[in-house]
Amino acid sequence: SITGVTFTRFRNDGLYLTASSNNKISGNSFRLNGGAGLSVNALSNYNLISNNQSQGNTAEGIINSSSSQNTYSGNNIQGNGTIGISSLSGSSRNNFSGNTATDNPTAGIKFAGETRSTIVGNTIRGGGSNQYGIWITSSSSNNAISANNVYDTGGAGATNGIYVNIGSNNNITNNVVGDSSCNTTCYAVNIDHASSTNNYIASNNIDSGASIRDIGTGTILGGQVSTGGTFSIQNAASIGLSTSAQATTSDITISTGN
């Protein structure tokens, strides 16, 4: 275990793990390092990384690379140079839950080549400066992105709360996405590439001025709820009800999308 240690002002990463498994890294502070605050690499598996502070590092707050079945929970990631938490190619079955990522300018959480992992119950705030709240790219697939709170991740001109560049078979559900300053291109969820296939988007609560943009292939869009309580079904070809079902049209919006 590594507990209660301050890693600060190192030339590169504050703490670097390589091929190191079954560790508990908890209650530490990673501040003002020249690389990432914490870097978990090269088959460092089955680690518990919890309740750490990673702030003001030149690169990411936390990096997970080529490492699997790690749990990242309750970490506070603030004001790092690029991304709050990155999980990169060769990584799978990791769990990122209950973390807070604030004011990291590129993204709060990024998956790049990550598979079969979860981003659940995290809070991401951009202060109007993040490029993306949650960024899914580089063929990340079969991940669950659920029950996250994503706020103010863009400026007045554009917002990408949850941005999927290239990623397939991901479930994006039950997230709350809002931006108090966006007034032009306001995407709660943006599926931004035709190579993003068979993603499922449903039951998200989004700002009334925001929308879901989808240029992916085979995307399944369920209903979303706006902050005003309106239930919206976007890009629906038809709605079917069984013979025993009952429905009313009050507060239901069907839109063609963007």
Side-chain angles (χ1 to χ4, degrees):
S1 297
I2 301 174
T3 303
V5 179
T6 297
F7 300 83
T8 187
R9 299 187 185 277
F10 286 94
R11 180 177 299 177
N12 295 306
D13 301 334
L15 176 61
Y16 186 95
L17 300 185
T18 182
S20 183
S21 298
N22 297 295
N23 299 291
K24 180 180 179 182
I25 301 171
S26 180
N28 303 287
S29 177
F30 306 94
R31 298 181 62 251
L32 304 174
N33 296 291
L38 169 63
S39 188
V40 179
N41 298 274
L43 303 178
S44 293
N45 304 325
Y46 302 102
N47 295 293
L48 173 61
I49 296 95
S50 64
N51 301 310
N52 301 286
Q53 305 281 330
S54 190
Q55 181 177 5
N57 301 289
T58 299
E60 291 93 334
I62 294 175
I63 298 176
N64 183 91
S65 179
S66 297
S67 298
S68 299
Q69 302 195 64
N70 295 304
T71 296
Y72 295 83
S73 66
N75 300 290
N76 188 355
I77 317 296
Q78 182 177 7
N80 296 284
T82 57
I83 298 165
I85 301 172
S86 290
S87 196
L88 308 179
S89 182
S91 301
S92 67
R93 302 183 187 279
N94 294 295
N95 175 35
F96 300 85
S97 63
N99 302 287
T100 300
T102 307
D103 295 334
N104 301 286
T106 305
I109 298 177
K110 176 183 178 182
F111 275 7
E114 177 85 23
T115 62
R116 302 183 184 281
S117 295
T118 59
I119 301 173
V120 175
N122 302 281
T123 298
I124 298 169
R125 295 182 180 272
S129 63
N130 284 46
Q131 189 174 2
Y132 312 113
I134 297 173
W135 182 11
I136 308 298
T137 189
S138 302
S139 300
S140 295
S141 63
N142 298 290
N143 300 296
I145 300 98
S146 183
N148 301 285
N149 293 300
V150 183
Y151 298 109
D152 295 340
T153 57
T159 290
N160 287 284
I162 300 173
Y163 180 76
V164 182
N165 178 237
I166 300 178
S168 299
N169 299 297
N170 298 294
N171 285 357
I172 302 171
T173 60
N174 297 299
N175 301 284
V176 178
V177 186
D179 197 312
S180 60
S181 62
C182 184
N183 55 29
T184 304
T185 307
C186 308
Y187 296 133
V189 182
N190 186 357
I191 311 296
D192 195 32
H193 201 285
S195 295
S196 295
T197 61
N198 302 320
N199 293 292
Y200 177 67
I201 307 168
S203 302
N204 298 287
N205 191 323
I206 64 178
D207 267 358
S208 57
S211 64
I212 294 174
R213 178 175 183 259
D214 173 37
I215 60 171
T217 302
T219 304
I220 300 172
L221 286 164
Q224 323 297 327
V225 181
S226 74
T227 51
T230 299
F231 182 80
S232 298
I233 303 171
Q234 183 174 319
N235 291 337
S238 63
I239 301 173
L241 297 175
S242 69
T243 55
S244 61
Q246 295 182 358
T248 62
T249 58
S250 176
D251 292 329
I252 296 177
T253 301
I254 301 173
S255 64
T256 57
N258 294 290

